[in-house]
Amino acid sequence: MKVLVILGHPRTDSLCGALAEVYSEGARAAGTELKSLALASLDFDPHVHTPSPNQQPLEKDLEAPRGLVGWADHLVFVYPTWWGTMPALLKGFLDRIMTPAFAFRSCEGGTGYEGLLQGRSAQLITTMDTPPLIHRLVYRQPGANAMARATLGFCGVRPVRSLTFGSVRNSDEAQREAWLQRARQEGLRLAKGRESAGEWLAHKAGAWLQALRLQFYPMTFVAYTVGALAAAPAGGVFGNPVFWLGYLCLFFLEVATVLVNERVDVGSDRQNRFYGPFTGGSRVLVEGLLSARALGVGTAVALVGFALAFGALLATAPGDSGPILVVMAVLVVLAIGYTAAPLKLCYRGLGELDVALTHSLGVLLCGYVFLAGDWAASLPWLLSLPLFLAIVPSITLSGIPDREADAAVGKGTLAVRLGNDGALWVALSFTILAAVSGALFDALGWAQGAYAGIGYVVVPYAACLVWLLWRALRREGPRGRIDGLMAASLGYVLWFGLFPLVNLVMR
């Protein structure tokens, strides 16, 4: 492990200097390759005089230190907390070396910036006169938060540990000696790696949550619940174990589908310049948060979970198991076949139809059949129609930011096949169709009145969404991220799930 210890105190003979020295001793004893940097010994201008720090040439005393930051696996900053944050010397050093193209870069996707110092961790060791508890509870650790999140975290450095010593003003020699021993122990901890077991676990848990893309699961649950309520089982729905076993099957199937998509689409994700919260995948492979092997294991675990839950469902579900087997078999093929070979439906121009069908009729019919409803009855099919029409706009729009990357790998989404304007026209047309269907179901009482009252909401909402889509069509120039339009279209879908859900619960 390569460790760089940066002393940010203007005086090297300070308590911070001693802390940096003993930490280095511990780190060397832990078997690391360590280099030290005392900022007080450098001759550089801490001020950025040009519009961009890249336009200001680095002094010789900054060229090597910036190289050391790039060299290190683990960065250690030792400095006093003055006025709640770091000394001007350290701030000026960071201003000068943490420049675009070295520490971060602008990009169209994510937050608009991408950290370039990923794969590194950091340790903050700071002293202060304020008692640390007061600093944490009253002042909320502004300096540590700025370093950990707005500076190092922004540049991709994670995790960032923080170790605080104080109050220095009220300390005695014994207290300071204890602090020095604590700093030495912190260096020795590197023998066990840069991350503690807890930090590693939190990092992996966060990566898996990112990979699962849980923001898309609630709509599946809503549609499934609508189907279950429509079946009107004698024992009710939410207290029925069959209902929860059925949703557990769908949950595991959705997990497996998402993870398969992540592995198959990695080529497109790597080239995607316009990724965001609704498009471009979870990027756990692109960012190195998880490996392809880990995702493969996750997929296998999800499929085993699905098989176990489905076996329990078949053993407990009332009525004939034949329709349950048929409905679930079709749903599994369509879900996994969205990206997986041999179907690869999204690569053949059928992805939008697949998603709209599985997330409307597919899961709704599951809820209906699992709770002993007749799959040939007209009710579940009618219930799913407005929802199907409402899903098409959002899934079609999601292909616009991904269009260039998808085209590069031969993924035939509607945006790739029809162009951005063609995709916008499809979204606009289906937005109108969904509003018309919702209003008709409301006015005529179709599907046992499940859509009662929806026309008062979706018609004006559709008018606003159509206006946004029309404005997007009129806009000239290349299109990148469309987060606002995506959020509006996903909100549109929500109404087509909530109205039947509430109406069926209340009947």
Side-chain angles (χ1 to χ4, degrees):
M1 183 193 311
K2 294 175 288 190
V3 178
L4 175 63
V5 177
I6 300 173
L7 176 58
H9 199 297
R11 290 185 291 104
T12 57
D13 61 346
S14 59
L15 174 60
C16 283
L19 290 168
E21 183 176 347
V22 296
Y23 180 94
S24 298
E25 291 174 1
R28 287 193 183 95
T32 67
E33 181 182 355
L34 186 137
K35 295 185 179 181
S36 299
L37 181 63
L39 300 188
S41 66
L42 304 181
D43 183 15
F44 69 96
D45 184 350
H47 305 297
V48 177
H49 300 282
T50 56
S52 168
N54 278 346
Q55 296 171 330
Q56 186 169 331
L58 289 181
E59 293 87 340
K60 288 184 179 180
D61 274 12
L62 287 182
E63 290 177 355
R66 187 163 75 171
L68 288 175
V69 171
W71 163 85
D73 300 314
H74 188 60
L75 301 168
V76 183
F77 294 87
V78 187
Y79 60 94
T81 294
W82 290 345
W83 293 111
T85 184
M86 68 190 75
L89 175 64
L90 177 54
K91 180 63 168 63
F93 175 76
L94 294 172
D95 286 347
R96 292 298 311 282
I97 71 160
M98 298 298 232
T99 55
F102 168 72
F104 67 94
R105 67 183 173 193
S106 300
C107 65
E108 298 291 343
T111 61
Y113 295 94
E114 180 181 6
L116 298 179
L117 299 182
Q118 296 177 8
R120 294 169 178 82
S121 54
Q123 171 74 64
L124 308 180
I125 300 177
T126 183
T127 61
M128 61 181 64
D129 282 335
T130 303
L133 186 62
I134 298 297
H135 186 68
R136 183 182 302 115
L137 297 180
V138 177
Y139 298 113
R140 306 294 180 87
Q141 307 179 101
N145 288 332
M147 276 289 280
R149 300 174 186 174
T151 302
L152 298 174
F154 178 83
C155 296
V157 179
R158 295 182 185 86
V160 180
R161 295 194 191 117
S162 182
L163 184 60
T164 303
F165 296 123
S167 163
V168 174
R169 180 179 56 186
N170 298 324
S171 65
D172 55 23
E173 185 175 346
Q175 179 66 74
R176 295 189 183 204
E177 182 59 32
W179 292 341
L180 292 172
Q181 291 301 321
R182 179 71 176 84
R184 182 180 286 108
Q185 289 299 317
E186 198 67 23
L188 284 169
R189 280 183 58 186
L190 294 179
K192 299 180 180 179
R194 292 181 293 143
E195 292 180 305
S196 67
E199 288 168 337
W200 181 88
L201 186 61
H203 173 74
K204 288 302 178 183
W208 277 109
L209 287 174
Q210 183 175 328
L212 294 180
R213 309 193 80 190
L214 296 177
Q215 64 266 36
F216 296 114
Y217 290 55
M219 199 58 225
T220 299
F221 179 77
V222 169
Y224 169 73
T225 305
V226 167
L229 290 167
V237 170
F238 300 110
N240 193 328
V242 173
F243 170 79
W244 295 108
L245 278 172
Y247 179 68
L248 191 60
C249 292
L250 295 182
F251 178 83
F252 280 126
L253 179 58
E254 191 155 12
V255 169
T257 301
V258 166
L259 298 183
V260 168
N261 294 349
E262 197 68 29
R263 294 184 70 190
V264 176
D265 285 343
V266 64
S268 173
D269 293 343
R270 282 202 178 101
Q271 300 184 56
N272 198 330
R273 299 185 299 119
F274 304 110
Y275 62 89
F278 310 115
T279 62
S282 72
R283 301 187 67 78
V284 293
L285 285 177
V286 176
E287 296 173 3
L289 301 177
L290 294 172
S291 66
R293 182 178 179 276
L295 290 183
V297 172
T299 304
V301 170
L303 290 175
V304 169
F306 166 79
L308 293 174
F310 190 58
L313 174 68
L314 289 176
T316 56
D320 185 7
S321 61
I324 296 177
L325 285 166
V326 172
V327 170
M328 185 56 83
V330 172
L331 186 62
V332 168
V333 170
L334 291 178
I336 302 296
Y338 175 73
T339 52
L343 293 181
K344 300 191 76 169
L345 296 172
C346 65
Y347 284 77
R348 303 175 189 274
L350 299 172
E352 289 82 1
L353 177 63
D354 183 8
V355 171
L357 191 62
T358 54
H359 286 72
S360 59
L361 178 62
V363 294
L364 196 150
L365 198 57
C366 282
Y368 194 77
V369 172
F370 292 172
L371 294 176
D374 182 2
W375 72 273
S378 61
L379 180 57
W381 299 79
L382 279 173
L383 275 171
S384 67
L385 178 59
L387 181 58
F388 169 84
L389 296 174
I391 291 172
V392 173
S394 60
I395 189 60
T396 302
L397 290 173
S398 70
I400 292 178
D402 302 346
R403 178 172 170 262
E404 292 179 6
D406 287 342
V409 298
K411 188 175 180 180
T413 64
L414 288 181
V416 171
R417 292 174 178 270
L418 304 177
N420 288 338
D421 284 353
L424 286 167
W425 275 114
V426 169
L428 190 150
S429 301
F430 274 86
T431 296
I432 295 173
L433 287 174
V436 170
S437 70
L440 283 174
F441 274 61
D442 180 8
L444 301 177
W446 290 345
Q448 297 183 6
Y451 285 97
I454 195 172
Y456 295 107
V457 175
V458 297
V459 170
Y461 196 117
C464 293
L465 185 53
V466 165
W467 176 75
L468 290 173
L469 290 164
W470 178 253
R471 191 174 67 171
L473 276 165
R474 301 281 293 177
R475 189 177 67 193
E476 297 182 357
R479 294 183 179 89
R481 292 176 61 175
I482 51 170
D483 292 349
L485 198 53
M486 280 298 305
S489 65
L490 289 169
Y492 188 55
V493 176
L494 191 60
W495 295 114
F496 289 85
L498 290 180
F499 265 90
L501 178 66
V502 172
N503 285 327
L504 289 173
V505 166
M506 299 297 292
R507 73 176 180 180

